[in-house]
Amino acid sequence: MAEEPTPILKMENITKRFPGVLANDHANIEIYPGEVLALLGENGAGKSTLMNVLVGLYRPDEGDIFVRGEHVEIHSPSDAAALGIGMVHQNFMLVPTMTVAENIILGMDGLAFRPDLDKVARRIQEIAEHYNMNVDPYAYIWQLSVGEQQRVEILKLIYRGAEILILDEPTAVLTPQESHELANVLKVMTSEGKSAVFITHKMEEVMEFSHWVRVLRRGRVVDVKKTSETNPQELARLMVGREVLFRLEKEASEPGDVVLELQNVYADNEKGLPALQDVSFTIRQGEILGIAGVAGNGQRQLAEVITGLRKVTGGHIYIQGDEETNHSPLRMIKAGVSHIPADRIGMGAVGDMAVSDNLAMKGYREPPMADGGILHPQLILEFARKMIAAFRIATPSPATHIKFLSGGNIQKAILAREIDACKGLLVAVYPSRGLDVGATESVRKRLLEQRAQGRAVLLISEDLDELITIADRIAVLFEGRVMGIVDSHNADIDALGLMMAGVPKQEAIAETSG
Amino acid sequence: MKQSIWGKILILIGAVVGALLVGALLLLIAGANPLVAYRAMLIGPLSSRYGITEALVKATPLLLVGLGIVIAFRSGILNIGGEGQMVIGALAGSACALALPDLPGILLLPMTLLSSFLAGAVWGGIPGWLKARLSVNEILSTIMLNSIALQLVTFMLRGPLIDPQEIAYGTGFPQTAQLPEQSWLPRLIPRTRLHWGFVVALLLAGLVYVFLWRTSLGYRMRAVGAQKEAARYGGIQVENSLVLAMALSGGFAGLAGMVEVLGIHHRLLDGISAGYGFSGIVAALFGQLHPLGTIPAAILFGALTLGADMMQRAVEVPAAIVLTIQGLVVLFVVGSDVLMRRPDFLKRLLGKRMMPIPEETSQEEVPS
Ligand SMILES: Nc1ncnc2c1ncn2[C@@H]1O[C@H](COP(=O)(O)OP(=O)(O)OP(=O)(O)O)[C@@H](O)[C@H]1O
Ligand SMILES: [Mg+2]
């Protein structure tokens, strides 16, 4: 490495302990000007922790940080900002009732008493144009999609002069198009000498976005690779410590009785606009129906009407032959519906409750966990231990508040609870989002296992490969309508892509086969 | 939360000293000797049987109100209506006792307490229902109901429920007749005012703990309090949980009011709530919103209240100054809570360039 330019940033021997966990264990990283460093590692490997140390949210127990060759102490995000380091967290930190421009200058040092917002807006516009980002400085945050909000977070950092950008799983919430746009933004930035750290679980993105890769395992950096000299298989193996199958064997299955039937369902979104229109389909026992579509085309609402969280404005929902239209979530649970929600921290888990309490969320009403309204903590704990072992949830103890787990491990806990409680229908919304390759593989196996046991599975996913691998049939949603349902064994990615863009099934198939 | 218990006590003492130093300035301005004043305030409650029992007397309603606050706050709803619920509870309980003077104590006492609990529960349940069904802000509605309750009691004490003797003698002092003796809460220690209400409150603290952490209903309420959306997703009826939480919370405040009546005054009179409806919130928060933590917190604030009274007598300063010092102590003590939970806060406060002290890492909250 003698030939390399000096790193703009160096973290040396960073160690960070939490009660019961060694999150970072003498980790080293180096970042060079104009380059993107990808951090790769299993769920709970310590990626987010290391970056939180870098921006001053955590104090390391040991280790040193050097920025531009100088030894620095970073005590807070504003210290980090002063050194030109900024981070986009996985859950954004924007004020929904304020405009983009207001959010961008919020909390900045040395603001005038009444900042000239028009001037700010013009500057934002300039930066946005320079990076080919499309943002309206006067729009309110609540009006923006998740991808747009992320752009605002990035703009905020650039506006404040960040030279080193840290992006923690930025693409987990993006559509494929949005990910490409992000890649372009990063290219412009690096061409100007700025640097970035990029955390992701998707190998293609590592290959596409980064110059260097560092692989973390149990808090240690186990390998450093030049991106151009490695490949996805090798990276996956370094990360997990074993070979990872990228293909799963799907056994043939005989679909049985109809478990879920939707008849001409209509529903509105929170703004009162139509989100689902005339949606009809059925799922049988031992069958996985995939829902493809660009995020925001009614997927969330679809899951919510089936789980009783949202009222339909028209149509009928039958579960195992019984009408269950507009019944309460509790009724739906009792009817045998399990649900892995898209929003795992907001909806799937209660952050301030113990892992064991979260795992008990479905079972606490009945024996064995409760008897006549009295809980049995011992049995709840036992159940939690069983789930933690079976699903390999990394947690210091069952009593740890679930919010202290890494993102992927929270997801595993939700999955464990819902799969265990599943009595007929499993609604899985982006179940592998944020999971490492090993865990993704095991989630897919679990879904196939459910199918083999005769359950019906509704799988909502943005990943067409995933849908084609494990779903039996794929329905494409566009603007709340089903554009068509195709068998996955003769599904064509291009035709699906057209349908996702709003082309009806017949035309899409004709166009791609012709 | 791994900080050593000594560290916590040190921070607590530091907070009290800080408050007292600021208070000393006020005392000097008022022309009193701070040393004499503080001697009375700090040593007074601890130095005699009278002081200790009297501190526990004051801790009793604080603890009962505080338990209700714990339930409400843990369930994700704020109850600022303790004052109103207390007096409504005391009103209903007193009316019940006065209406059934011939019942034996073994029946009358539980009935009185129960009616005060129910009345408080209704008074608390109303804002709970308004919040759950109509999204009415509970802070507004509970405060409004405080005024209504106080006015209602004012009216009852001057009209329908006034002591017939007061009318006979023409004094017209607004209070009810003495309640039948068999309904009183017996004294715990003779020749002090400490009564069995304190023991009842302690038992209830244990009960609330079991309720919140060992029953499925309690689980449900805590889940709603911690994350409404997740609870709803888990099949919990968030609305019902909110109403129940407020009803229980009001019930405890109502009980606090009646225990004051049955244990101390033996009749209902004006000002029975004495600000406990608010200071109970402070006790509960300081007790980390834990029913068992609220016990020492209530006793601490009971002692502080008593100490302030004693100080006033010792140096004869205006009551306003005593109240101010009391407020300062509460402010400092509650503020010190931040330091207990976030030990590095002090370091940041004192400047960024200090040497890094090896810290007992606490569970820091950071988005991942
Ligand atoms: N504030 C905290 N308190 C206690 N433990 C924590 C805290 N933050 C993280 N941990 C633990 O530290 C370990 C590393 O977590 P971290 O969030 O850094 O993982 P990660 O590599 O980002 O994983 P993921 O890919 O799932 O996001 C985990 O075991 C986690 O439970
Ligand atoms: Mg992470």
Side-chain angles (χ1 to χ4, degrees), chain B residues 209-243:
Chain B
Y209 172 76
V210 171
F211 172 74
L212 282 176
W213 275 276
R214 292 284 182 270
T215 68
S216 24
L217 206 55
Y219 174 93
R220 222 172 279 175
M221 290 168 68
R222 281 187 302 125
V224 170
Q227 203 126 302
K228 281 194 183 58
E229 266 314 296
R232 205 166 88 82
Y233 150 89
I236 294 168
Q237 298 217 308
V238 173
E239 290 77 17
N240 295 356
S241 169
L242 288 181
V243 179

mmCIF file of all heavy atoms in Angstrom, chain B residues 209-243:
data_model
loop_
_atom_site.group_PDB
_atom_site.id
_atom_site.type_symbol
_atom_site.label_atom_id
_atom_site.label_comp_id
_atom_site.label_asym_id
_atom_site.label_seq_id
_atom_site.Cartn_x
_atom_site.Cartn_y
_atom_site.Cartn_z
ATOM 1 N N TYR B 209 -47.347 -3.375 40.367
ATOM 2 C CA TYR B 209 -46.214 -4.019 39.708
ATOM 3 C C TYR B 209 -46.655 -5.349 39.079
ATOM 4 O O TYR B 209 -46.400 -5.616 37.906
ATOM 5 C CB TYR B 209 -45.075 -4.250 40.697
ATOM 6 C CG TYR B 209 -43.970 -5.083 40.095
ATOM 7 C CD1 TYR B 209 -43.092 -4.513 39.188
ATOM 8 C CD2 TYR B 209 -43.856 -6.439 40.376
ATOM 9 C CE1 TYR B 209 -42.107 -5.276 38.592
ATOM 10 C CE2 TYR B 209 -42.875 -7.209 39.785
ATOM 11 C CZ TYR B 209 -42.001 -6.613 38.887
ATOM 12 O OH TYR B 209 -41.049 -7.369 38.281
ATOM 13 N N VAL B 210 -47.335 -6.156 39.868
ATOM 14 C CA VAL B 210 -47.790 -7.449 39.355
ATOM 15 C C VAL B 210 -48.723 -7.241 38.164
ATOM 16 O O VAL B 210 -48.626 -7.910 37.136
ATOM 17 C CB VAL B 210 -48.510 -8.242 40.464
ATOM 18 C CG1 VAL B 210 -49.187 -9.474 39.895
ATOM 19 C CG2 VAL B 210 -47.514 -8.630 41.542
ATOM 20 N N PHE B 211 -49.612 -6.260 38.307
ATOM 21 C CA PHE B 211 -50.565 -6.014 37.230
ATOM 22 C C PHE B 211 -49.855 -5.654 35.923
ATOM 23 O O PHE B 211 -50.133 -6.230 34.875
ATOM 24 C CB PHE B 211 -51.514 -4.879 37.636
ATOM 25 C CG PHE B 211 -52.409 -4.415 36.525
ATOM 26 C CD1 PHE B 211 -53.479 -5.192 36.121
ATOM 27 C CD2 PHE B 211 -52.168 -3.215 35.875
ATOM 28 C CE1 PHE B 211 -54.293 -4.786 35.079
ATOM 29 C CE2 PHE B 211 -52.983 -2.800 34.834
ATOM 30 C CZ PHE B 211 -54.037 -3.582 34.435
ATOM 31 N N LEU B 212 -48.902 -4.727 36.006
ATOM 32 C CA LEU B 212 -48.271 -4.260 34.764
ATOM 33 C C LEU B 212 -47.339 -5.289 34.151
ATOM 34 O O LEU B 212 -47.227 -5.384 32.936
ATOM 35 C CB LEU B 212 -47.511 -2.959 35.015
ATOM 36 C CG LEU B 212 -48.356 -1.690 35.094
ATOM 37 C CD1 LEU B 212 -47.489 -0.496 35.429
ATOM 38 C CD2 LEU B 212 -49.085 -1.431 33.781
ATOM 39 N N TRP B 213 -46.663 -6.065 34.998
ATOM 40 C CA TRP B 213 -45.634 -6.944 34.443
ATOM 41 C C TRP B 213 -45.973 -8.432 34.459
ATOM 42 O O TRP B 213 -45.250 -9.230 33.925
ATOM 43 C CB TRP B 213 -44.296 -6.710 35.135
ATOM 44 C CG TRP B 213 -43.560 -5.579 34.499
ATOM 45 C CD1 TRP B 213 -42.765 -5.658 33.392
ATOM 46 C CD2 TRP B 213 -43.573 -4.207 34.878
ATOM 47 N NE1 TRP B 213 -42.282 -4.417 33.077
ATOM 48 C CE2 TRP B 213 -42.764 -3.507 33.965
ATOM 49 C CE3 TRP B 213 -44.201 -3.481 35.894
ATOM 50 C CZ2 TRP B 213 -42.546 -2.131 34.043
ATOM 51 C CZ3 TRP B 213 -43.987 -2.124 35.969
ATOM 52 C CH2 TRP B 213 -43.169 -1.459 35.055
ATOM 53 N N ARG B 214 -47.077 -8.774 35.091
ATOM 54 C CA ARG B 214 -47.362 -10.194 35.204
ATOM 55 C C ARG B 214 -48.743 -10.590 34.690
ATOM 56 O O ARG B 214 -49.156 -11.726 34.844
ATOM 57 C CB ARG B 214 -47.235 -10.650 36.667
ATOM 58 C CG ARG B 214 -45.833 -10.632 37.218
ATOM 59 C CD ARG B 214 -45.010 -11.805 36.707
ATOM 60 N NE ARG B 214 -43.674 -11.810 37.288
ATOM 61 C CZ ARG B 214 -42.630 -11.191 36.747
ATOM 62 N NH1 ARG B 214 -42.758 -10.523 35.618
ATOM 63 N NH2 ARG B 214 -41.455 -11.242 37.325
ATOM 64 N N THR B 215 -49.478 -9.646 34.121
ATOM 65 C CA THR B 215 -50.784 -10.027 33.584
ATOM 66 C C THR B 215 -50.843 -9.654 32.103
ATOM 67 O O THR B 215 -50.127 -8.763 31.653
ATOM 68 C CB THR B 215 -51.944 -9.292 34.295
ATOM 69 O OG1 THR B 215 -51.872 -7.912 33.970
ATOM 70 C CG2 THR B 215 -51.870 -9.480 35.797
ATOM 71 N N SER B 216 -51.696 -10.334 31.376
ATOM 72 C CA SER B 216 -51.748 -10.033 29.941
ATOM 73 C C SER B 216 -52.351 -8.651 29.699
ATOM 74 O O SER B 216 -52.001 -7.974 28.750
ATOM 75 C CB SER B 216 -52.498 -11.108 29.157
ATOM 76 O OG SER B 216 -53.387 -11.808 29.943
ATOM 77 N N LEU B 217 -53.244 -8.238 30.599
ATOM 78 C CA LEU B 217 -53.797 -6.891 30.467
ATOM 79 C C LEU B 217 -52.695 -5.844 30.614
ATOM 80 O O LEU B 217 -52.601 -4.885 29.848
ATOM 81 C CB LEU B 217 -54.863 -6.701 31.548
ATOM 82 C CG LEU B 217 -55.945 -5.699 31.248
ATOM 83 C CD1 LEU B 217 -56.616 -6.026 29.934
ATOM 84 C CD2 LEU B 217 -56.955 -5.663 32.381
ATOM 85 N N GLY B 218 -51.842 -6.051 31.610
ATOM 86 C CA GLY B 218 -50.742 -5.116 31.843
ATOM 87 C C GLY B 218 -49.778 -5.106 30.671
ATOM 88 O O GLY B 218 -49.316 -4.054 30.236
ATOM 89 N N TYR B 219 -49.509 -6.274 30.146
ATOM 90 C CA TYR B 219 -48.641 -6.400 28.971
ATOM 91 C C TYR B 219 -49.192 -5.559 27.825
ATOM 92 O O TYR B 219 -48.479 -4.800 27.169
ATOM 93 C CB TYR B 219 -48.571 -7.870 28.570
ATOM 94 C CG TYR B 219 -47.836 -8.142 27.286
ATOM 95 C CD1 TYR B 219 -46.484 -8.446 27.289
ATOM 96 C CD2 TYR B 219 -48.501 -8.102 26.065
ATOM 97 C CE1 TYR B 219 -45.810 -8.702 26.118
ATOM 98 C CE2 TYR B 219 -47.845 -8.360 24.891
ATOM 99 C CZ TYR B 219 -46.495 -8.657 24.910
ATOM 100 O OH TYR B 219 -45.844 -8.900 23.741
ATOM 101 N N ARG B 220 -50.500 -5.726 27.629
ATOM 102 C CA ARG B 220 -51.166 -5.006 26.553
ATOM 103 C C ARG B 220 -51.010 -3.498 26.738
ATOM 104 O O ARG B 220 -50.707 -2.766 25.805
ATOM 105 C CB ARG B 220 -52.644 -5.356 26.652
ATOM 106 C CG ARG B 220 -53.299 -5.611 25.348
ATOM 107 C CD ARG B 220 -54.684 -6.120 25.558
ATOM 108 N NE ARG B 220 -54.685 -7.551 25.856
ATOM 109 C CZ ARG B 220 -55.789 -8.230 26.175
ATOM 110 N NH1 ARG B 220 -56.954 -7.607 26.269
ATOM 111 N NH2 ARG B 220 -55.732 -9.514 26.404
ATOM 112 N N MET B 221 -51.237 -3.050 27.978
ATOM 113 C CA MET B 221 -51.175 -1.608 28.213
ATOM 114 C C MET B 221 -49.760 -1.086 28.023
ATOM 115 O O MET B 221 -49.558 -0.012 27.459
ATOM 116 C CB MET B 221 -51.706 -1.295 29.614
ATOM 117 C CG MET B 221 -53.206 -1.534 29.675
ATOM 118 S SD MET B 221 -53.887 -1.536 31.327
ATOM 119 C CE MET B 221 -53.674 0.143 31.764
ATOM 120 N N ARG B 222 -48.777 -1.866 28.459
ATOM 121 C CA ARG B 222 -47.402 -1.403 28.255
ATOM 122 C C ARG B 222 -47.030 -1.375 26.774
ATOM 123 O O ARG B 222 -46.334 -0.484 26.312
ATOM 124 C CB ARG B 222 -46.423 -2.307 29.015
ATOM 125 C CG ARG B 222 -46.346 -1.994 30.491
ATOM 126 C CD ARG B 222 -45.248 -2.794 31.158
ATOM 127 N NE ARG B 222 -45.446 -4.225 30.987
ATOM 128 C CZ ARG B 222 -44.538 -5.036 30.466
ATOM 129 N NH1 ARG B 222 -43.383 -4.569 30.059
ATOM 130 N NH2 ARG B 222 -44.789 -6.320 30.348
ATOM 131 N N ALA B 223 -47.539 -2.359 26.038
ATOM 132 C CA ALA B 223 -47.241 -2.380 24.600
ATOM 133 C C ALA B 223 -47.836 -1.152 23.931
ATOM 134 O O ALA B 223 -47.190 -0.502 23.107
ATOM 135 C CB ALA B 223 -47.786 -3.653 23.970
ATOM 136 N N VAL B 224 -49.065 -0.807 24.303
ATOM 137 C CA VAL B 224 -49.689 0.381 23.718
ATOM 138 C C VAL B 224 -48.876 1.615 24.083
ATOM 139 O O VAL B 224 -48.624 2.489 23.254
ATOM 140 C CB VAL B 224 -51.142 0.541 24.214
ATOM 141 C CG1 VAL B 224 -51.703 1.885 23.801
ATOM 142 C CG2 VAL B 224 -52.003 -0.586 23.685
ATOM 143 N N GLY B 225 -48.438 1.670 25.339
ATOM 144 C CA GLY B 225 -47.683 2.832 25.787
ATOM 145 C C GLY B 225 -46.370 2.956 25.055
ATOM 146 O O GLY B 225 -45.932 4.052 24.716
ATOM 147 N N ALA B 226 -45.731 1.832 24.788
ATOM 148 C CA ALA B 226 -44.402 1.883 24.173
ATOM 149 C C ALA B 226 -44.495 2.108 22.670
ATOM 150 O O ALA B 226 -43.631 2.744 22.086
ATOM 151 C CB ALA B 226 -43.627 0.608 24.469
ATOM 152 N N GLN B 227 -45.484 1.593 22.026
ATOM 153 C CA GLN B 227 -45.597 1.751 20.575
ATOM 154 C C GLN B 227 -47.003 1.403 20.104
ATOM 155 O O GLN B 227 -47.312 0.251 19.881
ATOM 156 C CB GLN B 227 -44.597 0.827 19.883
ATOM 157 C CG GLN B 227 -44.230 1.266 18.507
ATOM 158 C CD GLN B 227 -42.727 1.362 18.399
ATOM 159 O OE1 GLN B 227 -42.112 2.097 19.156
ATOM 160 N NE2 GLN B 227 -42.121 0.628 17.512
ATOM 161 N N LYS B 228 -47.810 2.448 19.918
ATOM 162 C CA LYS B 228 -49.216 2.223 19.580
ATOM 163 C C LYS B 228 -49.387 1.391 18.318
ATOM 164 O O LYS B 228 -50.176 0.458 18.269
ATOM 165 C CB LYS B 228 -49.918 3.562 19.373
ATOM 166 C CG LYS B 228 -50.286 4.246 20.641
ATOM 167 C CD LYS B 228 -51.278 5.381 20.366
ATOM 168 C CE LYS B 228 -51.607 6.125 21.646
ATOM 169 N NZ LYS B 228 -50.433 6.693 22.316
ATOM 170 N N GLU B 229 -48.639 1.758 17.281
ATOM 171 C CA GLU B 229 -48.826 1.083 15.990
ATOM 172 C C GLU B 229 -48.526 -0.409 16.100
ATOM 173 O O GLU B 229 -49.242 -1.246 15.564
ATOM 174 C CB GLU B 229 -47.913 1.717 14.938
ATOM 175 C CG GLU B 229 -48.574 2.800 14.134
ATOM 176 C CD GLU B 229 -49.962 2.394 13.642
ATOM 177 O OE1 GLU B 229 -50.053 1.438 12.849
ATOM 178 O OE2 GLU B 229 -50.967 3.006 14.059
ATOM 179 N N ALA B 230 -47.433 -0.695 16.828
ATOM 180 C CA ALA B 230 -47.046 -2.094 16.969
ATOM 181 C C ALA B 230 -48.096 -2.853 17.775
ATOM 182 O O ALA B 230 -48.386 -4.013 17.498
ATOM 183 C CB ALA B 230 -45.686 -2.190 17.639
ATOM 184 N N ALA B 231 -48.674 -2.198 18.757
ATOM 185 C CA ALA B 231 -49.683 -2.863 19.572
ATOM 186 C C ALA B 231 -50.917 -3.168 18.725
ATOM 187 O O ALA B 231 -51.496 -4.252 18.786
ATOM 188 C CB ALA B 231 -50.060 -1.977 20.761
ATOM 189 N N ARG B 232 -51.300 -2.201 17.917
ATOM 190 C CA ARG B 232 -52.468 -2.380 17.064
ATOM 191 C C ARG B 232 -52.232 -3.540 16.094
ATOM 192 O O ARG B 232 -53.085 -4.395 15.899
ATOM 193 C CB ARG B 232 -52.716 -1.098 16.270
ATOM 194 C CG ARG B 232 -54.125 -0.891 15.814
ATOM 195 C CD ARG B 232 -54.285 0.542 15.356
ATOM 196 N NE ARG B 232 -53.945 0.699 13.954
ATOM 197 C CZ ARG B 232 -54.782 0.415 12.959
ATOM 198 N NH1 ARG B 232 -55.983 -0.034 13.212
ATOM 199 N NH2 ARG B 232 -54.413 0.574 11.717
ATOM 200 N N TYR B 233 -51.031 -3.559 15.569
ATOM 201 C CA TYR B 233 -50.645 -4.637 14.666
ATOM 202 C C TYR B 233 -50.713 -5.986 15.370
ATOM 203 O O TYR B 233 -51.105 -6.989 14.795
ATOM 204 C CB TYR B 233 -49.240 -4.325 14.142
ATOM 205 C CG TYR B 233 -48.391 -5.513 13.805
ATOM 206 C CD1 TYR B 233 -48.422 -6.062 12.528
ATOM 207 C CD2 TYR B 233 -47.545 -6.070 14.749
ATOM 208 C CE1 TYR B 233 -47.628 -7.153 12.224
ATOM 209 C CE2 TYR B 233 -46.760 -7.153 14.452
ATOM 210 C CZ TYR B 233 -46.803 -7.693 13.183
ATOM 211 O OH TYR B 233 -46.019 -8.766 12.892
ATOM 212 N N GLY B 234 -50.375 -5.993 16.674
ATOM 213 C CA GLY B 234 -50.405 -7.229 17.434
ATOM 214 C C GLY B 234 -51.800 -7.632 17.875
ATOM 215 O O GLY B 234 -51.955 -8.544 18.666
ATOM 216 N N GLY B 235 -52.813 -6.921 17.390
ATOM 217 C CA GLY B 235 -54.183 -7.311 17.703
ATOM 218 C C GLY B 235 -54.716 -6.702 18.985
ATOM 219 O O GLY B 235 -55.720 -7.139 19.522
ATOM 220 N N ILE B 236 -54.043 -5.679 19.486
ATOM 221 C CA ILE B 236 -54.496 -5.046 20.727
ATOM 222 C C ILE B 236 -55.405 -3.872 20.390
ATOM 223 O O ILE B 236 -55.124 -3.109 19.476
ATOM 224 C CB ILE B 236 -53.273 -4.561 21.532
ATOM 225 C CG1 ILE B 236 -52.450 -5.766 21.985
ATOM 226 C CG2 ILE B 236 -53.709 -3.732 22.731
ATOM 227 C CD1 ILE B 236 -51.097 -5.404 22.538
ATOM 228 N N GLN B 237 -56.499 -3.752 21.147
ATOM 229 C CA GLN B 237 -57.403 -2.629 20.914
ATOM 230 C C GLN B 237 -56.887 -1.422 21.671
ATOM 231 O O GLN B 237 -57.109 -1.272 22.877
ATOM 232 C CB GLN B 237 -58.789 -2.997 21.368
ATOM 233 C CG GLN B 237 -59.301 -4.178 20.572
ATOM 234 C CD GLN B 237 -60.756 -4.044 20.285
ATOM 235 O OE1 GLN B 237 -61.539 -3.815 21.193
ATOM 236 N NE2 GLN B 237 -61.124 -4.172 19.038
ATOM 237 N N VAL B 238 -56.203 -0.577 20.907
ATOM 238 C CA VAL B 238 -55.522 0.550 21.516
ATOM 239 C C VAL B 238 -56.498 1.454 22.262
ATOM 240 O O VAL B 238 -56.234 1.910 23.376
ATOM 241 C CB VAL B 238 -54.772 1.340 20.422
ATOM 242 C CG1 VAL B 238 -54.202 2.613 20.978
ATOM 243 C CG2 VAL B 238 -53.675 0.473 19.832
ATOM 244 N N GLU B 239 -57.677 1.684 21.706
ATOM 245 C CA GLU B 239 -58.636 2.602 22.309
ATOM 246 C C GLU B 239 -59.042 2.119 23.705
ATOM 247 O O GLU B 239 -59.017 2.874 24.676
ATOM 248 C CB GLU B 239 -59.885 2.761 21.434
ATOM 249 C CG GLU B 239 -59.656 3.520 20.138
ATOM 250 C CD GLU B 239 -58.968 2.659 19.087
ATOM 251 O OE1 GLU B 239 -58.967 1.414 19.234
ATOM 252 O OE2 GLU B 239 -58.401 3.235 18.138
ATOM 253 N N ASN B 240 -59.410 0.841 23.783
ATOM 254 C CA ASN B 240 -59.836 0.306 25.073
ATOM 255 C C ASN B 240 -58.737 0.421 26.106
ATOM 256 O O ASN B 240 -58.983 0.732 27.265
ATOM 257 C CB ASN B 240 -60.221 -1.170 24.931
ATOM 258 C CG ASN B 240 -61.424 -1.329 24.045
ATOM 259 O OD1 ASN B 240 -62.005 -0.329 23.616
ATOM 260 N ND2 ASN B 240 -61.790 -2.558 23.758
ATOM 261 N N SER B 241 -57.529 0.164 25.640
ATOM 262 C CA SER B 241 -56.411 0.203 26.561
ATOM 263 C C SER B 241 -56.229 1.616 27.131
ATOM 264 O O SER B 241 -55.959 1.789 28.316
ATOM 265 C CB SER B 241 -55.166 -0.263 25.835
ATOM 266 O OG SER B 241 -54.041 -0.016 26.603
ATOM 267 N N LEU B 242 -56.407 2.623 26.284
ATOM 268 C CA LEU B 242 -56.236 4.003 26.750
ATOM 269 C C LEU B 242 -57.299 4.358 27.784
ATOM 270 O O LEU B 242 -57.017 4.976 28.806
ATOM 271 C CB LEU B 242 -56.325 4.974 25.567
ATOM 272 C CG LEU B 242 -55.139 4.963 24.606
ATOM 273 C CD1 LEU B 242 -55.346 5.974 23.496
ATOM 274 C CD2 LEU B 242 -53.842 5.266 25.339
ATOM 275 N N VAL B 243 -58.544 3.975 27.506
ATOM 276 C CA VAL B 243 -59.620 4.309 28.443
ATOM 277 C C VAL B 243 -59.371 3.607 29.775
ATOM 278 O O VAL B 243 -59.473 4.211 30.846
ATOM 279 C CB VAL B 243 -60.990 3.887 27.871
ATOM 280 C CG1 VAL B 243 -62.091 4.219 28.867
ATOM 281 C CG2 VAL B 243 -61.251 4.577 26.549
#
